[in-house]
Every structure is written in structure tokens, then in C-alpha cells.
mmCIF file of all heavy atoms in Angstrom:
data_model
loop_
_atom_site.group_PDB
_atom_site.id
_atom_site.type_symbol
_atom_site.label_atom_id
_atom_site.label_comp_id
_atom_site.label_asym_id
_atom_site.label_seq_id
_atom_site.Cartn_x
_atom_site.Cartn_y
_atom_site.Cartn_z
ATOM 1 N N SER H 251 35.174 -38.683 -15.479
ATOM 2 C CA SER H 251 35.848 -39.746 -14.736
ATOM 3 C C SER H 251 36.317 -40.815 -15.703
ATOM 4 O O SER H 251 35.712 -41.024 -16.764
ATOM 5 C CB SER H 251 34.913 -40.363 -13.681
ATOM 6 O OG SER H 251 33.757 -40.912 -14.291
ATOM 7 N N ALA H 252 37.392 -41.500 -15.332
ATOM 8 C CA ALA H 252 37.938 -42.606 -16.137
ATOM 9 C C ALA H 252 39.151 -43.157 -15.417
ATOM 10 O O ALA H 252 39.719 -42.509 -14.533
ATOM 11 C CB ALA H 252 38.330 -42.146 -17.539
ATOM 12 N N GLY H 253 39.567 -44.340 -15.802
ATOM 13 C CA GLY H 253 40.806 -44.910 -15.306
ATOM 14 C C GLY H 253 41.955 -44.482 -16.198
ATOM 15 O O GLY H 253 41.774 -44.260 -17.398
ATOM 16 N N ILE H 254 43.147 -44.379 -15.638
ATOM 17 C CA ILE H 254 44.324 -43.991 -16.416
ATOM 18 C C ILE H 254 44.632 -45.026 -17.489
ATOM 19 O O ILE H 254 45.322 -44.741 -18.480
ATOM 20 C CB ILE H 254 45.552 -43.796 -15.488
ATOM 21 C CG1 ILE H 254 46.681 -43.059 -16.209
ATOM 22 C CG2 ILE H 254 46.027 -45.129 -14.927
ATOM 23 C CD1 ILE H 254 46.397 -41.617 -16.490
ATOM 24 N N ASP H 255 44.091 -46.249 -17.319
ATOM 25 C CA ASP H 255 44.311 -47.309 -18.318
ATOM 26 C C ASP H 255 43.378 -47.194 -19.513
ATOM 27 O O ASP H 255 43.346 -48.079 -20.370
ATOM 28 C CB ASP H 255 44.171 -48.689 -17.683
ATOM 29 C CG ASP H 255 42.876 -48.861 -16.907
ATOM 30 O OD1 ASP H 255 42.117 -47.879 -16.785
ATOM 31 O OD2 ASP H 255 42.621 -49.970 -16.408
ATOM 32 N N GLU H 256 42.613 -46.091 -19.603
ATOM 33 C CA GLU H 256 41.726 -45.874 -20.746
ATOM 34 C C GLU H 256 42.032 -44.579 -21.488
ATOM 35 O O GLU H 256 41.221 -44.114 -22.277
ATOM 36 C CB GLU H 256 40.262 -45.864 -20.279
ATOM 37 C CG GLU H 256 39.702 -47.242 -20.022
ATOM 38 C CD GLU H 256 39.705 -48.117 -21.265
ATOM 39 O OE1 GLU H 256 39.486 -47.591 -22.373
ATOM 40 O OE2 GLU H 256 39.949 -49.327 -21.135
ATOM 41 N N VAL H 257 43.185 -43.980 -21.226
ATOM 42 C CA VAL H 257 43.535 -42.717 -21.869
ATOM 43 C C VAL H 257 43.840 -42.951 -23.350
ATOM 44 O O VAL H 257 44.080 -44.088 -23.775
ATOM 45 C CB VAL H 257 44.724 -42.051 -21.154
ATOM 46 C CG1 VAL H 257 44.367 -41.771 -19.692
ATOM 47 C CG2 VAL H 257 45.982 -42.915 -21.248
ATOM 48 N N PRO H 258 43.820 -41.893 -24.162
ATOM 49 C CA PRO H 258 43.986 -42.079 -25.625
ATOM 50 C C PRO H 258 45.234 -42.851 -26.029
ATOM 51 O O PRO H 258 45.211 -43.603 -27.012
ATOM 52 C CB PRO H 258 44.030 -40.636 -26.134
ATOM 53 C CG PRO H 258 43.237 -39.854 -25.136
ATOM 54 C CD PRO H 258 43.522 -40.494 -23.811
ATOM 55 N N GLY H 259 46.334 -42.693 -25.264
ATOM 56 C CA GLY H 259 47.580 -43.329 -25.656
ATOM 57 C C GLY H 259 47.593 -44.840 -25.600
ATOM 58 O O GLY H 259 48.521 -45.465 -26.116
ATOM 59 N N VAL H 260 46.583 -45.449 -24.980
ATOM 60 C CA VAL H 260 46.563 -46.917 -24.919
ATOM 61 C C VAL H 260 45.933 -47.513 -26.173
ATOM 62 O O VAL H 260 45.893 -48.732 -26.323
ATOM 63 C CB VAL H 260 45.817 -47.437 -23.670
ATOM 64 C CG1 VAL H 260 46.380 -46.799 -22.412
ATOM 65 C CG2 VAL H 260 44.319 -47.212 -23.773
ATOM 66 N N TYR H 261 45.448 -46.645 -27.078
ATOM 67 C CA TYR H 261 44.755 -47.130 -28.267
ATOM 68 C C TYR H 261 45.520 -46.840 -29.554
ATOM 69 O O TYR H 261 46.317 -45.903 -29.630
ATOM 70 C CB TYR H 261 43.362 -46.494 -28.353
ATOM 71 C CG TYR H 261 42.412 -47.066 -27.330
ATOM 72 C CD1 TYR H 261 42.164 -46.409 -26.133
ATOM 73 C CD2 TYR H 261 41.785 -48.293 -27.542
ATOM 74 C CE1 TYR H 261 41.316 -46.942 -25.174
ATOM 75 C CE2 TYR H 261 40.942 -48.838 -26.602
ATOM 76 C CZ TYR H 261 40.708 -48.165 -25.417
ATOM 77 O OH TYR H 261 39.878 -48.710 -24.475
ATOM 78 N N LYS H 262 45.243 -47.645 -30.561
ATOM 79 C CA LYS H 262 45.798 -47.424 -31.891
ATOM 80 C C LYS H 262 45.197 -46.158 -32.500
ATOM 81 O O LYS H 262 44.182 -45.641 -32.025
ATOM 82 C CB LYS H 262 45.484 -48.618 -32.812
ATOM 83 C CG LYS H 262 46.063 -49.936 -32.346
ATOM 84 C CD LYS H 262 45.661 -51.060 -33.302
ATOM 85 C CE LYS H 262 46.177 -52.403 -32.804
ATOM 86 N NZ LYS H 262 45.804 -53.514 -33.718
ATOM 87 N N ASP H 263 45.809 -45.681 -33.546
ATOM 88 C CA ASP H 263 45.294 -44.543 -34.293
ATOM 89 C C ASP H 263 44.033 -44.985 -35.028
ATOM 90 O O ASP H 263 44.093 -45.816 -35.941
ATOM 91 C CB ASP H 263 46.358 -44.059 -35.279
ATOM 92 C CG ASP H 263 45.957 -42.792 -36.020
ATOM 93 O OD1 ASP H 263 44.736 -42.588 -36.240
ATOM 94 O OD2 ASP H 263 46.845 -42.026 -36.405
ATOM 95 N N ILE H 264 42.884 -44.457 -34.631
ATOM 96 C CA ILE H 264 41.619 -44.880 -35.233
ATOM 97 C C ILE H 264 41.584 -44.597 -36.732
ATOM 98 O O ILE H 264 40.959 -45.349 -37.493
ATOM 99 C CB ILE H 264 40.415 -44.204 -34.528
ATOM 100 C CG1 ILE H 264 39.084 -44.740 -35.062
ATOM 101 C CG2 ILE H 264 40.488 -42.691 -34.664
ATOM 102 C CD1 ILE H 264 38.861 -46.222 -34.862
ATOM 103 N N HIS H 265 42.276 -43.555 -37.176
ATOM 104 C CA HIS H 265 42.288 -43.240 -38.607
ATOM 105 C C HIS H 265 43.034 -44.325 -39.394
ATOM 106 O O HIS H 265 42.627 -44.682 -40.514
ATOM 107 C CB HIS H 265 42.912 -41.866 -38.844
ATOM 108 C CG HIS H 265 42.165 -40.745 -38.185
ATOM 109 N ND1 HIS H 265 40.942 -40.304 -38.661
ATOM 110 C CD2 HIS H 265 42.447 -40.004 -37.085
ATOM 111 C CE1 HIS H 265 40.509 -39.311 -37.887
ATOM 112 N NE2 HIS H 265 41.395 -39.114 -36.924
ATOM 113 N N GLU H 266 44.100 -44.865 -38.810
ATOM 114 C CA GLU H 266 44.820 -45.957 -39.473
ATOM 115 C C GLU H 266 43.966 -47.220 -39.505
ATOM 116 O O GLU H 266 43.971 -47.962 -40.497
ATOM 117 C CB GLU H 266 46.144 -46.220 -38.752
ATOM 118 C CG GLU H 266 47.155 -45.094 -38.879
ATOM 119 C CD GLU H 266 48.466 -45.410 -38.189
ATOM 120 O OE1 GLU H 266 48.593 -46.527 -37.634
ATOM 121 O OE2 GLU H 266 49.372 -44.542 -38.200
ATOM 122 N N VAL H 267 43.247 -47.469 -38.416
ATOM 123 C CA VAL H 267 42.368 -48.640 -38.373
ATOM 124 C C VAL H 267 41.275 -48.519 -39.432
ATOM 125 O O VAL H 267 40.986 -49.481 -40.161
ATOM 126 C CB VAL H 267 41.734 -48.785 -36.971
ATOM 127 C CG1 VAL H 267 40.645 -49.860 -36.974
ATOM 128 C CG2 VAL H 267 42.810 -49.138 -35.948
ATOM 129 N N MET H 268 40.672 -47.342 -39.557
ATOM 130 C CA MET H 268 39.619 -47.149 -40.555
ATOM 131 C C MET H 268 40.186 -47.260 -41.974
ATOM 132 O O MET H 268 39.537 -47.816 -42.870
ATOM 133 C CB MET H 268 38.942 -45.798 -40.356
ATOM 134 C CG MET H 268 38.202 -45.643 -39.027
ATOM 135 S SD MET H 268 36.931 -46.902 -38.732
ATOM 136 C CE MET H 268 35.763 -46.505 -40.046
ATOM 137 N N ALA H 269 41.391 -46.753 -42.171
ATOM 138 C CA ALA H 269 42.012 -46.831 -43.501
ATOM 139 C C ALA H 269 42.296 -48.264 -43.909
ATOM 140 O O ALA H 269 42.333 -48.581 -45.111
ATOM 141 C CB ALA H 269 43.308 -46.016 -43.512
ATOM 142 N N ALA H 270 42.478 -49.141 -42.919
ATOM 143 C CA ALA H 270 42.786 -50.545 -43.210
ATOM 144 C C ALA H 270 41.547 -51.361 -43.543
ATOM 145 O O ALA H 270 41.664 -52.536 -43.908
ATOM 146 C CB ALA H 270 43.512 -51.174 -42.023
ATOM 147 N N GLN H 271 40.349 -50.766 -43.414
ATOM 148 C CA GLN H 271 39.127 -51.542 -43.648
ATOM 149 C C GLN H 271 38.141 -50.811 -44.560
ATOM 150 O O GLN H 271 36.924 -50.938 -44.415
ATOM 151 C CB GLN H 271 38.466 -51.901 -42.326
ATOM 152 C CG GLN H 271 38.150 -50.745 -41.409
ATOM 153 C CD GLN H 271 37.572 -51.197 -40.074
ATOM 154 O OE1 GLN H 271 37.165 -52.344 -39.890
ATOM 155 N NE2 GLN H 271 37.513 -50.283 -39.122
ATOM 156 N N THR H 272 38.667 -50.072 -45.521
ATOM 157 C CA THR H 272 37.795 -49.374 -46.468
ATOM 158 C C THR H 272 37.022 -50.343 -47.356
ATOM 159 O O THR H 272 36.009 -49.971 -47.946
ATOM 160 C CB THR H 272 38.602 -48.408 -47.347
ATOM 161 O OG1 THR H 272 39.663 -49.130 -47.999
ATOM 162 C CG2 THR H 272 39.203 -47.287 -46.507
ATOM 163 N N ASP H 273 37.495 -51.576 -47.450
ATOM 164 C CA ASP H 273 36.764 -52.580 -48.229
ATOM 165 C C ASP H 273 35.698 -53.278 -47.388
ATOM 166 O O ASP H 273 34.958 -54.124 -47.897
ATOM 167 C CB ASP H 273 37.722 -53.614 -48.814
ATOM 168 C CG ASP H 273 38.570 -54.319 -47.759
ATOM 169 O OD1 ASP H 273 38.771 -53.736 -46.672
ATOM 170 O OD2 ASP H 273 39.031 -55.439 -48.017
ATOM 171 N N LEU H 274 35.622 -52.920 -46.098
ATOM 172 C CA LEU H 274 34.646 -53.536 -45.210
ATOM 173 C C LEU H 274 33.479 -52.607 -44.888
ATOM 174 O O LEU H 274 32.341 -53.063 -44.764
ATOM 175 C CB LEU H 274 35.315 -53.978 -43.905
ATOM 176 C CG LEU H 274 36.554 -54.874 -44.032
ATOM 177 C CD1 LEU H 274 37.051 -55.276 -42.647
ATOM 178 C CD2 LEU H 274 36.242 -56.107 -44.877
ATOM 179 N N VAL H 275 33.766 -51.311 -44.725
ATOM 180 C CA VAL H 275 32.727 -50.342 -44.351
ATOM 181 C C VAL H 275 32.980 -49.013 -45.052
ATOM 182 O O VAL H 275 34.097 -48.707 -45.471
ATOM 183 C CB VAL H 275 32.686 -50.089 -42.826
ATOM 184 C CG1 VAL H 275 32.216 -51.316 -42.074
ATOM 185 C CG2 VAL H 275 34.044 -49.612 -42.316
ATOM 186 N N GLU H 276 31.897 -48.198 -45.158
ATOM 187 C CA GLU H 276 32.026 -46.812 -45.601
ATOM 188 C C GLU H 276 31.486 -45.913 -44.502
ATOM 189 O O GLU H 276 30.559 -46.288 -43.773
ATOM 190 C CB GLU H 276 31.257 -46.579 -46.906
ATOM 191 C CG GLU H 276 29.784 -46.929 -46.861
ATOM 192 C CD GLU H 276 29.132 -46.818 -48.227
ATOM 193 O OE1 GLU H 276 29.652 -46.076 -49.079
ATOM 194 O OE2 GLU H 276 28.105 -47.488 -48.450
ATOM 195 N N VAL H 277 32.081 -44.735 -44.351
ATOM 196 C CA VAL H 277 31.742 -43.820 -43.271
ATOM 197 C C VAL H 277 30.559 -42.939 -43.661
ATOM 198 O O VAL H 277 30.558 -42.313 -44.717
ATOM 199 C CB VAL H 277 32.956 -42.955 -42.892
ATOM 200 C CG1 VAL H 277 32.575 -41.909 -41.853
ATOM 201 C CG2 VAL H 277 34.087 -43.833 -42.373
ATOM 202 N N LEU H 278 29.561 -42.869 -42.762
ATOM 203 C CA LEU H 278 28.366 -42.062 -42.999
ATOM 204 C C LEU H 278 28.276 -40.865 -42.059
ATOM 205 O O LEU H 278 27.354 -40.052 -42.161
ATOM 206 C CB LEU H 278 27.093 -42.907 -42.833
ATOM 207 C CG LEU H 278 26.611 -43.709 -44.046
ATOM 208 C CD1 LEU H 278 27.644 -44.720 -44.487
ATOM 209 C CD2 LEU H 278 25.300 -44.412 -43.731
ATOM 210 N N GLY H 279 29.189 -40.740 -41.132
ATOM 211 C CA GLY H 279 29.175 -39.623 -40.206
ATOM 212 C C GLY H 279 30.266 -39.795 -39.167
ATOM 213 O O GLY H 279 30.761 -40.914 -38.948
#
């Protein structure tokens, strides 16, 4: 279940967001 206002297309590309903050965090999993 979910609302149509929460589908993937309403969000930014998470990979681009993570690439923009490599100086803030490192990925462990």
C-alpha cells in the first residue's frame, strides 16, 4: 500500500544525492 504521491518519480536520483555528499559520509552497506 502507498499513496500515488510517494512513487519513485517524486524523488531525486538517490545516487546523485549520495555522489554530492562523499565528503560527508561513506557507505557501509
